Amino acid sequence: MPQATDSRSNQMMLGPDKKLGLIRDTSIQPFAPKEETMEIPLPPGVTKAVIEVRLTYQPRPGNIYPIHKVVRNVSLEETR
Amino acid sequence: MGDIAMMLLRPWNLALKWAVMFSIIFFLFFDGVTARCDSTEQVSTLNELIALFDSSSCKECHEKIYEQWEKSHHARPLMGLDDEIFMTKYLKNGVLAVKPGEKGTKRNFPCFKCHLPQFKYATDKVAAEIADAILRNDKASVRQLTISCLVCHNEKAVVHGCPEKNVIYGNRDLPEDTGHLVKKSPLMKNSLMCGQCHGLGPNLEFETPVQCATLYGSYLHAYIPSGGTQTCQDCHMKDGNHYMPPNFNNREEFSERLKQSLPMEVQTLSYTFEPKEGDSRPMVVLKTKITSKAGHRIPDG
């Protein structure tokens, strides 16, 4: 999300009556795909796992708009 | 001799020319400023302000468009998520707070630059009435303050000069026999039309500067330089639809819109990682890629 201070300190501010100037922007930009790689170590002996990926939008904490939910069943059974 | 005199006079001619040109430019600029309609007409009651931009008669001939608009956020610009008056918290606490509402002035409402553009025609008495209505949670009154048809089709339809009174601006000129004078505004299909309110960043002209939407800035400085070719209207007013999504109150529809705008790819790799002989670790590598089809950053407003 675009993050702003009030331009009087380096404290991030919330609310249009306080924000004044962006200092960091982690939002999704046009023509700029966001790629992430996550390495998930599994406990020893585990051969199956269900990976659930959710993308949501939360304009306020707790106010959740679901966007994507992708489920992948992965198996390590072929490992020697 | 005549030629010599002319040569001597030439610099003065040049200076004179520049002076005249400067005067014309200054006059045009100055005249432009005074002609920006900002504003000689003032209303001193809330009801007068509502009446000044009342667009209910538009429904008689443009029923479908009016119904689309009624469902849009433009029809409830002071109502936030879940039908709450968004200004309440700002008038109760913080730099814009006022108590009691009757003491409210136009200084309490920098948000109205965009949330209620016609507010510029109001006096402090109207500001006090609105502040009072908001603090009393008088939704019935507050709901009457809208980004009505006349806001976009008159007030905001002209930026090169001044919108004319009693003229409706649209995509083309129409003869007067339609009931009202319709003039073409080149802005109607231009992103600048929306950009007037949907945000360049900090609004520094107020005693209390505010920063709300920065969306048009993102369109100008991220989308366009990356080769984007669509206008705001292409995506948010398809086929002239005045519903103008997104609609944050229609949760399912908004989620679906985000889903379409932000496709996500997911890839997994499961394997046994062996950093050294005999040290086996089951591992999943998850890769995600979110692409944006939007013409601006997400989220923004």
Side-chain angles (χ1 to χ4, degrees):
Chain A
M1 64 187 275
Q3 296 165 36
T5 68
D6 62 359
S7 290
R8 291 190 281 199
S9 78
N10 60 2
Q11 169 73 47
M12 180 180 158
M13 295 286 169
L14 296 170
D17 57 334
K18 302 181 194 75
K19 291 191 293 184
L20 206 59
L22 303 181
I23 54 160
R24 190 179 179 212
D25 189 356
T26 57
S27 56
I28 301 169
Q29 301 290 331
F31 297 112
K34 262 199 187 295
E35 293 185 58
E36 283 184 79
T37 301
M38 284 152 269
E39 299 199 9
I40 309 164
L42 301 177
V46 170
T47 56
K48 284 183 179 173
V50 179
I51 307 293
E52 191 172 296
V53 182
R54 291 183 195 194
L55 180 65
T56 61
Y57 170 51
Q58 289 194 54
R60 300 275 185 280
N63 183 11
I64 299 170
Y65 291 88
I67 303 175
H68 289 289
K69 179 182 167 185
V70 177
V71 178
R72 293 275 188 272
N73 292 301
V74 298
S75 170
L76 288 91
E77 283 176 341
E78 288 174 17
T79 303
R80 281 182 287 129
Chain B
M1 184 65 189
D3 288 346
I4 292 168
M6 283 305 290
M7 277 175 70
L8 287 171
L9 282 172
R10 213 166 272 158
W12 290 105
N13 277 343
L14 200 62
L16 191 64
K17 266 185 198 170
W18 277 106
V20 170
M21 276 178 67
F22 180 75
S23 303
I24 290 169
I25 290 166
F26 178 77
F27 177 77
L28 287 173
F29 176 73
F30 188 74
D31 191 47
V33 170
T34 54
R36 271 301 287 147
C37 309
D38 54 349
S39 106
T40 50
E41 189 173 1
Q42 294 277 298
V43 293
S44 53
T45 70
L46 180 54
N47 284 337
E48 283 173 358
L49 182 66
I50 292 165
L52 191 64
F53 277 77
D54 176 37
S55 302
S56 53
S57 63
C58 301
K59 191 176 184 177
E60 291 169 20
C61 299
H62 304 282
E63 194 176 348
K64 189 179 167 192
I65 287 174
Y66 196 88
E67 283 172 3
Q68 291 165 347
W69 169 84
E70 278 182 313
K71 293 174 188 161
S72 77
H73 281 294
H74 281 178
R76 47 177 190 275
L78 304 189
M79 309 307 288
L81 295 172
D82 302 320
D83 206 35
E84 293 300 321
I85 303 172
F86 85 90
M87 282 291 298
T88 306
K89 62 181 173 186
Y90 304 122
L91 292 187
K92 282 187 174 174
N93 296 298
V95 287
L96 300 176
V98 61
K99 192 179 175 184
E102 289 93 337
K103 288 188 177 174
T105 69
K106 295 180 84 169
R107 289 178 179 180
N108 297 104
F109 295 102
C111 307
F112 284 3
K113 174 186 173 183
C114 295
H115 282 268
L116 196 68
Q118 62 269 44
F119 185 64
K120 72 179 191 181
Y121 295 109
T123 59
D124 277 340
K125 278 181 74 180
V126 181
E129 271 193 81
I130 295 175
D132 181 53
I134 290 173
L135 290 174
R136 284 188 293 104
N137 201 28
D138 177 2
K139 291 184 181 176
S141 295
V142 173
R143 280 200 188 97
Q144 293 183 73
L145 297 164
T146 66
I147 313 281
S148 66
C149 309
L150 287 173
V151 173
C152 296
H153 289 276
N154 180 274
E155 179 67 24
K156 294 288 182 184
V158 177
V159 295
H160 303 93
C162 178
E164 294 173 47
K165 263 183 126 182
N166 304 319
V167 170
I168 306 294
Y169 292 89
N171 286 324
R172 58 185 192 275
D173 292 316
L174 287 176
E176 267 188 78
D177 58 9
T178 52
H180 39 241
L181 185 58
V182 178
K183 288 191 175 181
K184 180 179 176 176
S185 163
L187 284 189
M188 284 294 157
K189 291 185 175 177
N190 194 305
S191 292
L192 180 63
M193 179 73 202
C194 313
Q196 292 178 78
C197 285
H198 289 274
L200 287 162
N203 298 286
L204 297 167
E205 70 270 38
F206 299 109
E207 188 178 309
T208 302
V210 292
Q211 179 174 315
C212 191
T214 46
L215 191 146
Y216 185 55
S218 172
Y219 173 84
L220 290 180
H221 304 302
Y223 177 70
I224 292 294
S226 302
T229 57
Q230 305 294 288
T231 63
C232 306
Q233 293 86 336
D234 286 335
C235 299
H236 295 274
M237 291 189 77
K238 276 183 183 163
D239 303 317
N241 192 328
H242 283 59
Y243 175 50
M244 290 171 277
N247 178 353
F248 298 101
N249 293 332
N250 187 333
R251 302 187 70 86
E252 246 176 65
E253 182 190 284
F254 181 46
S255 281
E256 182 58 30
R257 188 171 178 87
L258 285 170
K259 190 176 179 178
Q260 297 303 320
S261 302
L262 302 170
M264 183 175 77
E265 293 172 39
V266 174
Q267 291 181 7
T268 54
L269 169 69
S270 53
Y271 75 116
T272 302
F273 180 47
E274 193 167 317
K276 61 182 180 186
E277 198 76 34
D279 181 7
S280 296
R281 303 179 193 181
M283 175 81 82
V284 174
V285 179
L286 172 70
K287 284 189 158 201
T288 58
K289 182 178 179 183
I290 303 165
T291 314
S292 176
K293 292 182 179 175
H296 48 80
R297 68 162 69 80
I298 291 181
D300 207 322

